Amino acid sequence: MDEIRENLSKVHQDIISSCNKYGRKESDVCLLCVSKTKPEEKIIKAYNCGERHFGESYAVEASEKIAHLKEQGYTDIIWHFIGPIQKNKTRLIAEHFDMVESLDRAIVATRLNDQRPDNLPPLEVLIQVNISDEDQKSGCDISEIDSLIETVLKCPKLKLRGFMGVGMDTPDFDVIDKEFSKLKSLFDEYSKKLNDFNILSIGMTHDLDIAVKNQTTEVRIGTAIFGAREYKTMTTDNQKIAFIGGGNMSTCIYESIIASGFNPQNITVSGPHVEKLEKFKQKGSVITSDNIEALKNADIVFLGVKPQILTSVLDEIAASGVALNHKLFVSMAAGFKLSSIEKKLNTKKIIRIMPNTPAKLGLGVIAVVYDTEVSDNEKALSEKMLSKMGTCIVGDEDNLNVIGAVAGCGPAFVYRFMEALIAEAVAHGLSADNARKIVEQTVLGSANMSLKNQDCTLASLREAVTSKGGTTYAGLCKMTEGNFEQIMKNTVQASLDRTYEFEKMF
């Protein structure tokens, strides 16, 4: 028995067991084989085992797959679209699918209706309800159901069939049970009001039993049938890397990656002005003005654009139809939280980094935060890519903000201090060149004294320079009188406050 046939047998047995447990018939529960990212050969194997319902999430990839399978004679497959719907992909969905299970906005309903070919039967739709109240999950709010139903009922080329819901990703089955029960109650309420409103799609591999308990009429199963997606082991030799944005920090990271042993020929850099990317081409990398061209074949994608631009770039990526679930995204945008990127790209394979400018010299601090689906191998590889920039400090997003205020903004604060010291040296008769050399060497030497004396506190190093009643003491007293510590406190807090403002914007 081949693997897919054996897996299907196990899945059906699980459905039968749950149905017996709750007094239901197996025929009450339709198995939807989630075939997104799976090759046609695996779909054909499942088809030959008797399966006819298949679910896809990526419009471009799925449309090509559906058309090719129909050309081969597989015309009785019922295709379900189950992923988040981008407005610019509604035509592909309307033209190729039999059912849409993830309808959550009126504008999408209207576009699907307008773009459904006249020679096809009405497109059956399920309204996806966000039953877990998670911001990153798709689905309409319960309060929006009536308005969305009203829109669908006005669309002659759509046929409303029921609700779909995704439970919270948690090991606490009581939480999932409550969520499914909530949607079942809503389903019962609306099925009394609407004709042919008889499909309740809840449940995947891990919560199948709870879904059957709550009277689901469909379960969506992928990995348990087709196996987990096979990811190649990430090494310096086989990684395809994309930079969206080729500015200063992207250049710094690019240089670190090359210095860490990655092949520049495996790197593509995109930007609106391709002539400004020539420096990457000269080192053997591909350059393009098309972000999606850079994205397509990449395993790792560096998002090297400013926070104000990142929203539109994420929208462009999400709307591209390119499968994103296997790609690792690395963002360096200040104030743009993991949850905001997750919501746009529907993935948790994301790393946020915050390098400071001395990273250009290999003397930087790089704050790093990993999302929940970043593997240990990916973490190790990412730290290797950044290693030539300086020291990586791994933490959570709260740490990232603080490190950004201290290390990211800190060089500017240090330069401001140096400017003031140089200005006073010049005011008292030193040449500007000599004043700068003296201050630079003083700061460099002081930093090295700190680095080479880790067993000493900074206070003790300061005290070693200070004689009671001496010249250093007199100067430090003036710093105290000027409330130096409070000035620094206000300075760091202002940077943090601005970061929090950015987070609210994005």
Side-chain angles (χ1 to χ4, degrees), residues 192-461:
K192 294 174 183 176
K193 307 175 187 177
L194 302 166
N195 294 328
D196 293 327
F197 193 89
N198 53 16
I199 298 176
L200 177 62
S201 178
I202 50 176
M204 295 182 284
T205 303
H206 70 289
D207 51 24
L208 183 153
D209 186 73
I210 305 171
V212 174
K213 173 187 174 184
N214 283 283
Q215 305 299 302
T216 188
T217 65
E218 176 187 271
V219 289
R220 306 179 301 274
I221 309 294
T223 301
I225 297 171
F226 298 108
R229 186 183 180 99
E230 295 180 5
Y231 298 105
K232 61 187 178 185
T233 301
M234 304 182 83
T235 69
T236 56
D237 297 326
N238 67 5
Q239 290 310 287
K240 301 289 186 181
I241 300 170
F243 282 88
I244 296 181
N248 290 335
M249 196 50 70
S250 289
T251 301
C252 179
I253 296 170
Y254 176 93
E255 296 289 353
S256 178
I257 289 173
I258 299 306
S260 298
F262 290 79
N263 187 347
Q265 294 180 344
N266 288 337
I267 301 176
T268 301
V269 184
S270 68
H273 305 291
V274 74
E275 66 277 6
K276 294 182 179 181
L277 305 178
E278 282 295 324
K279 58 188 175 184
F280 301 106
K281 185 177 181 181
Q282 290 171 8
K283 294 190 177 183
S285 297
V286 177
I287 59 174
T288 177
S289 59
D290 186 339
N291 292 337
I292 305 308
E293 191 62 34
L295 169 79
K296 278 182 182 177
N297 297 316
D299 302 298
I300 304 169
V301 183
F302 283 88
L303 302 169
V305 298
K306 296 183 183 298
Q308 302 91 318
I309 301 173
L310 184 55
T311 297
S312 61
V313 169
L314 293 175
D315 286 339
E316 180 186 12
I317 291 172
S320 68
V322 175
L324 306 178
N325 59 323
H326 71 288
K327 298 182 186 296
L328 178 66
F329 290 90
V330 185
S331 169
M332 57 193 92
F336 221 107
K337 298 183 75 172
L338 289 172
S339 59
S340 298
I341 302 173
E342 288 171 7
K343 193 171 183 179
K344 292 284 187 181
L345 301 184
N346 196 33
T347 180
K348 292 186 178 181
K349 290 175 73 68
I350 307 166
I351 302 174
R352 277 190 68 193
I353 62 173
M354 185 84 61
N356 64 1
T357 53
K360 296 175 182 178
L361 304 177
L363 298 171
V365 175
I366 308 98
V368 182
V369 179
Y370 298 114
D371 210 340
T372 55
E373 293 181 2
V374 179
S375 70
D376 289 342
N377 179 234
E378 289 166 334
K379 291 176 183 178
L381 201 67
S382 66
E383 290 180 33
K384 181 177 178 64
M385 286 189 287
L386 303 173
S387 63
K388 300 302 182 181
M389 296 168 62
T391 302
C392 288
I393 305 293
V394 179
D396 59 26
E397 286 195 288
D398 288 335
N399 295 149
L400 189 74
N401 290 340
V402 177
I403 296 170
V406 175
C409 305
F413 305 154
V414 174
Y415 301 146
R416 182 73 178 270
F417 168 76
M418 292 171 69
E419 286 179 280
L421 211 53
I422 290 169
E424 288 307 305
V426 171
H428 288 277
L430 293 182
S431 70
D433 285 347
N434 281 339
R436 176 165 177 162
K437 289 176 184 176
I438 291 167
V439 171
E440 287 172 343
Q441 193 61 36
T442 298
V443 172
L444 177 62
S446 300
N448 274 292
M449 283 290 289
S450 176
L451 287 168
K452 294 181 183 299
N453 291 279
Q454 291 293 302
D455 55 334
C456 298
T457 65
L458 288 174
S460 67
L461 291 174

Side-chain angles (χ1 to χ4, degrees), residues 11 63 67 146 149 162 168 271 310 401 498:
V11 169
S63 298
D146 285 337
I149 287 177
M168 184 178 291
L310 184 55
N401 290 340
R498 185 58 175 152

